[in-house]
Amino acid sequence: MYGNAYIDTTEKPAGILEGEDPQRLQEFEARVARGEKIEPKDWMPREYRKQLIRMIEQHGHSEIIGALPEGTWITRAPGFKRKLALMAKVQDEVGHAQLLYSAAETLGKTREAMINDLITGKSKYSNVFNYPAYTWADACIIAWLIDAGAIINQVANAKGSYGPYGRALDRICTEESFHLKYGHDNVVTLATGTPKQREMVQAALTRWWPPIMHFFGPSDKISSHTEILMRWKVKMATNDDMRQQFLNMYVPKIWDLGLNVPDVNLKKNEDGKWDYTEPDWEEFKRVINGGGPCNAERLAVRRMAEERGRWVRNALNTSDAKYVAPFA
Ligand code: BYC
């Protein structure tokens, strides 16, 4: 445990800064404003700690759950080289979760508590991983466009105020940039391939577009945490800014491949901003609260992994080797 005692991230205090020492709060905010990094043993407001645990933990969960839709394609990826590359990508994603859980642990919440909150459905993880990857093209669109969205978010937040999160994000972004190139290469292959391959990649893009638009979080008008997170430089761009950046960078690339973005209102304005159809935030809320097409399946897989791996954790935690695999 570091600094303050562990705070339950579901707690909803009346006033988020209630009870904080005003002088310490002022010094803390001055440090953040000067661009200094906050480290685990430094004083920090309870709400800062709580928000960071929530965000980093959700990010960690997204990485391990995110390995599932792509992971199902390892054995079916076309050709040995694509299988190898996808296997490496999936391993990287799980490694990202390790880095993120370590960063969240510095704030005082144990990894066991985080995993428990994931498998009991108390914690959230990214909306996008609650949809199925029906075809190889779905796996390619995930690797290209979801990793693209993740990089936009993470490059910005890597410059944020909490040292351990920023350092984890730096490392993650380096690996994600390989994933992005791998995903792009796959999509180019399909989009420039046979009519059947083009049809398959277009269908995948059409399926994934709404979840990708949701990926950056609710619109700034309804986002609940953006204001405080930006004030404390945890978030370095708003949800809408990140969505705009994504559209700006990737819509032209999608169009260059001759693919259609399934939004009749999508166009760039004279002021350089993109107009788009407002995403369906009711659908988003349903999916992030457990009602998406794959939520139950994703959590069931994680629960099974937790159960089957218990003997390994027990063996590692004991000095005498009395634990054996239940199926040995
Ligand atoms: N999905 O106030 P808001 C990857 C929730 S993995 C689910 O705007 P905030 C990859 C939000 O938690 C990378 N829930 O929130 C892996 C809040 O609910 P609670 C994933 C979402 O935090 C494997 C409520 O909506 N990236 O790339 O200010 C293979 C209100 O939202 C989502 C990260 O995790 C969502 N998309 O901003 C391939 C980045 N969006 O907690 C690829 C880290 C919002 O009050 N996270 N909610 O119940 C962030 O940067 C921020 O948390 C967000 C949301 C921008 C996502």
Side-chain angles (χ1 to χ4, degrees):
M1 296 281 269
Y2 297 82
N4 300 358
Y6 162 59
I7 295 163
D8 180 353
T9 52
T10 59
E11 180 196 350
K12 298 263 184 275
I16 59 169
L17 298 178
E18 206 175 72
E20 297 291 7
D21 177 332
Q23 195 182 334
R24 290 186 117 173
L25 183 60
Q26 201 181 11
E27 282 163 11
F28 168 84
E29 293 205 318
R31 287 189 64 194
V32 171
R34 285 196 297 271
E36 286 177 30
K37 296 289 174 201
I38 305 299
E39 296 298 337
K41 289 186 178 168
D42 294 345
W43 185 89
M44 60 187 83
R46 286 162 53 91
E47 181 68 13
Y48 179 82
R49 183 181 298 273
K50 185 177 123 180
Q51 285 282 0
L52 274 167
I53 292 174
R54 179 190 66 82
M55 208 170 114
I56 304 173
E57 174 182 1
Q58 284 179 8
H59 191 165
H61 297 333
S62 303
E63 300 280 356
I64 46 169
I65 296 282
L68 300 178
E70 286 185 286
T72 59
W73 279 95
I74 292 174
T75 54
R76 296 172 289 162
F80 183 60
K81 285 189 179 159
R82 297 220 190 271
K83 280 188 178 60
L84 276 183
L86 181 56
M87 197 152 50
K89 178 183 190 305
V90 168
Q91 282 177 347
D92 283 352
E93 307 296 3
V94 176
H96 297 168
Q98 301 294 343
L99 289 172
L100 291 160
Y101 287 141
S102 298
E105 280 182 310
T106 65
L107 292 152
K109 184 166 182 178
T110 66
R111 188 172 300 223
E112 289 73 22
M114 289 186 261
I115 298 289
N116 195 48
D117 285 352
L118 170 66
I119 62 181
T120 56
K122 194 171 164 195
S123 286
K124 292 191 168 65
Y125 56 87
S126 186
N127 68 298
V128 282
F129 303 121
N130 290 308
Y131 294 89
Y134 290 123
T135 69
W136 167 242
D138 289 299
C140 300
I141 292 288
I142 295 175
W144 184 31
L145 295 180
I146 292 182
D147 281 77
I151 292 176
I152 287 171
N153 170 290
Q154 289 160 188
V155 164
N157 291 346
K159 299 185 193 76
S161 59
Y162 190 56
Y165 189 38
R167 290 188 286 274
L169 289 180
D170 276 338
R171 162 89 184 262
I172 291 171
C173 286
T174 311
E175 294 183 355
E176 295 285 25
S177 54
F178 280 99
H179 302 169
L180 176 78
K181 285 187 196 310
Y182 154 83
H184 186 236
D185 182 61
N186 286 345
V187 171
V188 169
T189 303
L190 294 176
T192 57
T194 63
K196 182 82 198 148
Q197 285 174 314
R198 285 186 64 80
E199 199 184 300
M200 194 166 80
V201 76
Q202 177 61 62
L205 176 64
T206 303
R207 272 194 291 278
W208 283 89
W209 191 254
I212 288 171
M213 290 296 278
H214 286 151
F215 178 79
F216 301 94
S219 88
D220 294 350
K221 291 191 284 282
I222 53 172
S223 160
S224 36
H225 305 295
T226 297
E227 193 184 338
I228 191 72
L229 290 177
M230 296 223 23
R231 167 168 156 181
W232 286 334
K233 296 191 181 173
V234 173
K235 256 168 108 162
M236 301 299 280
T238 73
N239 301 355
D240 286 340
D241 285 345
M242 288 188 286
R243 216 174 342 262
Q244 283 289 337
Q245 216 181 312
F246 172 80
L247 294 172
N248 214 24
M249 288 174 77
Y250 290 95
V251 170
K253 290 184 172 52
I254 295 170
W255 284 344
D256 277 353
L257 290 172
L259 297 171
N260 293 320
V261 176
D263 180 352
V264 288
N265 296 316
L266 189 68
K267 67 167 172 24
K268 197 172 186 175
N269 276 321
E270 281 162 11
D271 63 1
K273 292 249 187 244
W274 288 79
D275 281 345
Y276 52 85
T277 305
E278 190 64 22
D280 179 347
W281 297 119
E282 286 310 310
E283 151 87 1
F284 170 77
K285 258 192 257 164
R286 192 169 58 74
V287 170
I288 67 171
N289 287 307
C294 295
N295 298 62
E297 180 189 326
R298 301 282 184 249
L299 290 190
V301 172
R302 286 312 316 165
R303 273 195 289 272
M304 182 182 74
E306 186 62 12
E307 189 53 42
R308 289 201 181 159
R310 180 162 294 124
W311 71 272
V312 178
R313 292 189 301 280
N314 287 343
L316 289 171
N317 283 336
T318 188
S319 52
D320 59 22
K322 66 184 173 197
Y323 289 98
V324 288
F327 42 82

